[in-house]
Amino acid sequence: MKYEAVIFDLDGVIVITDSYHQKAWKTSALEFGIDYKDEWEEELKGLDRRESMERLLKLSEKLLSKEEKEKFLHRKNELYLELIEGLNEAVVMRGVKETIIKLRKNGIKTAVGSTSKNAMRILSLIGLTDLFDYVSYGENIKKGKPEPEVFLNAAAHLKVSPSKCLVVEDGEAGVKAANRAHMDCAYLS
């Protein structure tokens, strides 16, 4: 195999948490007077929390002050953390754990590349933290997807050239980030 590392997105690739995000966005949006539309969810996929909020505000044509935006972001994350507290291995995508174990047995490094600041909490809840050589996520990067930083950070910590990394993604922003990082990308639709 030509790859020395595989970098997995978290939400939608390793775990199924889209419904938790959607419920948290919808509830917090309604609390801030925004009529959230379910079809907007696809446009928020793969973006960090702040970028998702900005996209949501643009789609809804709602204006919020800087202070209101901070409250909105805090409330969304608070709701999301409450919702995910009961996560366990049942939300892990079928075959993911076995695939990661097989990659590692074949000497291929594994990492998570997620813009979520909650990535470590989720990995802990689902019991997969020890399967990754590195976790590049919202707490150790500055720019979210579609910027390539999340994947380049993972490659640097793994000490693997970007050209030897494969990214597994389910979001358009993540595919763009992988392309900008000069990494091959397997897109899960």
Side-chain angles (χ1 to χ4, degrees):
M1 177 180 271
K2 76 174 198 168
Y3 301 113
E4 294 177 12
V6 178
I7 306 168
F8 295 85
D9 179 35
L10 181 62
D11 296 320
V13 173
I14 296 174
V15 294
I16 305 166
T17 56
D18 293 346
S19 64
Y20 300 102
H21 280 293
Q22 188 171 12
K23 187 171 184 177
W25 277 121
K26 189 173 197 169
T27 302
S28 55
L30 290 172
E31 290 176 8
F32 282 82
I34 298 167
D35 185 22
Y36 184 92
K37 308 255 186 284
D38 291 339
E39 61 265 21
W40 294 346
E41 187 61 27
E42 191 62 33
E43 294 210 31
L44 306 181
K45 190 182 279 188
L47 301 175
D48 67 26
R49 194 177 315 142
R50 185 167 300 281
E51 184 61 32
S52 290
M53 178 198 60
E54 292 295 345
R55 181 82 49 96
L56 180 63
L57 292 175
K58 185 176 181 182
L59 290 166
S60 68
E61 299 179 358
K62 177 77 173 180
L63 298 174
L64 294 179
S65 69
K66 186 176 180 179
E67 183 179 290
E68 289 171 319
K69 286 180 180 181
E70 293 306 315
K71 287 180 181 178
F72 186 23
L73 288 172
H74 177 76
R75 180 65 177 143
K76 188 274 177 184
N77 195 52
E78 182 179 70
L79 289 166
Y80 179 70
L81 290 173
E82 288 172 15
L83 290 168
I84 67 166
E85 199 51 43
L87 287 183
N88 56 41
E89 278 195 31
V91 298
V92 176
M93 299 283 276
R94 190 171 44 107
V96 168
K97 184 175 182 179
E98 297 78 10
T99 299
I100 296 166
I101 290 169
K102 192 173 190 177
L103 288 168
R104 292 173 63 85
K105 281 184 181 176
N106 287 306
I108 297 170
K109 296 177 181 179
T110 58
V112 171
S114 172
T115 57
S116 173
K117 291 187 176 188
N118 299 310
M120 294 303 292
R121 180 70 184 136
I122 292 168
L123 289 170
S124 176
L125 287 168
I126 62 173
L128 296 186
T129 308
D130 294 340
L131 288 182
F132 296 99
D133 297 298
Y134 183 70
V135 179
S136 179
Y137 71 116
E139 290 293 336
N140 55 27
I141 61 166
K142 291 185 173 106
K143 295 181 181 179
K145 300 170 189 173
E147 295 302 318
E149 181 184 5
V150 68
F151 299 133
L152 293 173
N153 178 45
H157 279 83
L158 296 174
K159 296 184 170 96
V160 175
S161 166
S163 65
K164 298 286 185 183
C165 294
L166 173 68
V167 171
V168 183
E169 257 295 346
D170 73 324
E172 186 179 318
V175 172
K176 286 180 182 176
N179 289 333
R180 289 176 178 173
H182 305 286
M183 296 178 181
D184 286 344
C185 185
Y187 177 67
L188 306 177
S189 58

